[in-house]
Amino acid sequence: AQKVTQAQTEISVVEKEDVTLDCVYETRDTTYYLFWYKQPPSGELVFLIRRNSFDEQNEISGRYSWNFQKSTSSFNFTITASQVVDSAVYFCALSEHGSSNTGKLIFGQGTTLQVKP
Amino acid sequence: NAGVTQTPKFQVLKTGQSMTLQCAQDMNHEYMSWYRQDPGMGLRLIHYSVGAGITDQGEVPNGYNVSRSTTEDFPLRLLSAAPSQTSVYFCASRLLGQRKNTEAFFGQGTRLTVV
């Protein structure tokens, strides 16, 4: 069964600090997708990144970077030089893409990030 | 560019009442799903569907029914509302492909309170 664990419930940093949000996943499939979503205080869910299981290259997008390590079943998210606007709840999610390909997307519990000025 | 449309945005129900949360998408996505979001619990999957006429249970299906008569619509029915169903509900859709599945697109959410 698929499972996503975000062990950090809440993180508080001061603006300009770097912060890493952890995500550990479990799956029996060899083909799967990992995602990160952001939920700002306004409540909508904003897609940040999708990564498939065959692509272990790290990705950087501006101040955001993602570190995917299959050996440790982790897909961690780092924000460099954090800003107040980064304050949000961040969700990691997993979708298996096996023979059934149900598309079912399972989320972690979320990490609340507070960036203080 | 409607995407995923959820209605209503807010709802207050009395215990025992029934209601339907509506969800529609205009992207021709096969996959549609309903989640509930509760503090500290993340987004938990209620029901999902991979196409018209096909539905399946997620992690927390009890107390909810769904149907998928068309590709576009995926309503969520609360048969007899209970205070434990007070939550924020999100509908999501995504494109399923043999080679690649897309990310999920979410509606704006419905804040439901059962008193």
Side-chain angles (χ1 to χ4, degrees):
Chain A
Q2 54 192 110
K3 184 179 178 181
V4 177
T5 302
Q6 295 179 254
Q8 304 152 307
T9 305
E10 294 182 14
I11 301 176
S12 181
V13 299
V14 176
E15 206 169 19
K16 298 184 182 177
E17 285 186 13
D18 299 346
V19 58
T20 296
L21 309 183
D22 297 333
C23 174
V24 174
Y25 63 92
E26 296 176 27
T27 177
R28 294 178 183 172
D29 269 7
T30 56
T31 306
Y32 51 90
Y33 290 88
L34 295 162
F35 304 83
W36 276 95
Y37 281 84
K38 174 182 180 180
Q39 187 178 42
S42 51
E44 74 273 22
L45 286 152
V46 179
F47 165 73
L48 295 177
I49 190 172
R50 175 185 66 232
R51 172 68 72 216
N52 74 54
S53 52
F54 296 108
D55 183 1
E56 288 193 73
Q57 281 190 341
N58 292 333
E59 181 154 342
I60 298 174
S61 176
R63 295 184 297 105
Y64 295 171
S65 62
W66 291 269
N67 183 353
F68 176 31
Q69 291 195 339
K70 287 176 75 170
S71 60
T72 56
S73 297
S74 64
F75 187 43
N76 297 338
F77 173 32
T78 297
I79 302 175
T80 301
S82 60
Q83 299 176 3
V84 172
V85 293
D86 296 325
S87 297
V89 182
Y90 291 87
F91 291 100
C92 180
L94 165 70
S95 172
E96 294 173 336
H97 193 144
S99 56
S100 61
N101 194 19
T102 65
K104 195 167 61 170
L105 194 61
I106 298 300
F107 285 80
Q109 302 91 324
T111 298
T112 299
L113 174 65
Q114 184 182 33
V115 181
K116 298 178 181 178
Chain B
N1 293 337
V4 180
T5 304
Q6 260 184 261
T7 55
K9 290 186 178 180
F10 301 94
Q11 183 71 49
V12 179
L13 287 179
K14 293 183 179 179
T15 298
Q17 285 185 320
S18 63
M19 80 158 295
T20 300
L21 306 185
Q22 301 292 343
C23 178
Q25 52 92 8
D26 61 358
M27 298 172 282
N28 203 30
H29 286 171
E30 303 94 331
Y31 175 89
M32 295 186 75
S33 57
W34 279 100
Y35 292 87
R36 61 176 288 173
Q37 183 179 10
D38 303 291
M41 305 292 285
L43 290 155
R44 292 184 293 169
L45 183 63
I46 303 172
H47 287 284
Y48 66 100
S49 167
V50 296
I54 306 169
T55 63
D56 206 347
Q57 296 181 351
E59 304 166 82
V60 288
N62 293 339
Y64 307 95
N65 275 1
V66 292
S67 60
R68 185 93 179 269
S69 56
T70 66
T71 300
E72 295 78 19
D73 300 299
F74 192 46
L76 178 72
R77 297 183 188 85
L78 283 69
L79 304 176
S80 178
S84 61
Q85 294 178 304
T86 293
S87 187
V88 179
Y89 292 84
F90 286 96
C91 178
S93 74
R94 62 189 300 217
L95 186 67
L96 300 183
Q98 188 174 12
R99 294 185 179 276
K100 184 177 78 173
N101 293 347
T102 67
E103 66 274 20
F105 294 77
F106 284 85
Q108 291 298 303
T110 298
R111 186 173 294 275
L112 175 68
T113 303
V114 182
V115 298

